[in-house]
Amino acid sequence: METHKDLRVWQQSIEMVTSIYKMTKAFPKDEIFGLVSQMRRAAVSVPSNIAEGYARGTDKETLHFLRISSGSMSEIETQLMLSLKLGYIGQETYSELSEQITSVWKQLNALISSIKKRLSPQDQLPF
């Protein structure tokens, strides 16, 4: 039986979280309770919600939690841009992590689309 651990998107989102934790270690100490905390929470939310959605057992609930993961990806993208603009990271780090984020997001959107195809229109609405 397939679990969330078998999903490539979950595996790569774990790698993304690891990269974000490593990157934010170098942020100024006065950002520990600001941007660092926000980025880490948003990042951890992605694989966590993928896992929770799959544990729920229905496509409708899985879709709901995948959409939450997608929202967290938007947060991460915004926070990464802020990190660049504030000078906490350089262009190279930004580009590398941005590629990782884009890859996870594409896989997440593909999974959402695939699950939506299996659902009736009324079940596709968020609850």
Side-chain angles (χ1 to χ4, degrees):
M1 182 172 145
E2 183 179 83
T3 71
H4 64 277
K5 294 177 192 175
D6 298 315
L7 296 171
R8 188 167 172 226
V9 66
W10 181 85
Q11 295 164 1
Q12 287 194 355
S13 66
I14 291 291
E15 293 303 317
M16 179 189 70
V17 173
T18 304
S19 296
I20 288 172
Y21 265 75
K22 288 176 182 176
M23 175 193 70
T24 56
K25 274 186 178 181
F27 280 31
K29 295 297 176 211
D30 63 340
E31 282 293 348
I32 292 293
F33 299 108
L35 195 54
V36 171
S37 177
Q38 285 290 113
M39 284 190 86
R40 288 178 174 184
R41 281 198 315 265
V44 168
S45 174
V46 175
S48 298
N49 278 295
I50 293 169
E52 185 168 357
Y54 265 74
R56 297 290 177 126
T58 68
D59 283 345
K60 184 176 178 181
E61 287 182 300
T62 300
L63 187 60
H64 172 74
F65 284 94
L66 293 177
R67 285 180 172 145
I68 293 170
S69 287
S70 184
S72 295
M73 293 299 295
S74 293
E75 287 183 64
I76 295 164
E77 181 183 56
T78 300
Q79 294 155 353
L80 185 65
M81 176 58 72
L82 286 170
S83 299
L84 176 66
K85 297 279 187 191
L86 293 169
Y88 298 155
I89 60 172
Q91 185 63 47
E92 185 177 335
T93 300
Y94 173 82
S95 295
E96 288 171 6
L97 200 47
S98 186
E99 283 180 29
Q100 203 173 12
I101 289 166
T102 299
S103 175
V104 170
W105 214 345
K106 283 180 181 178
Q107 290 175 59
L108 187 57
N109 287 331
L111 184 57
I112 288 169
S113 292
S114 131
I115 291 172
K116 281 174 68 174
K117 287 178 185 175
R118 297 192 308 238
L119 293 173
S120 63
Q122 67 269 19
D123 285 338
Q124 292 182 28
L125 299 173
F127 49 95

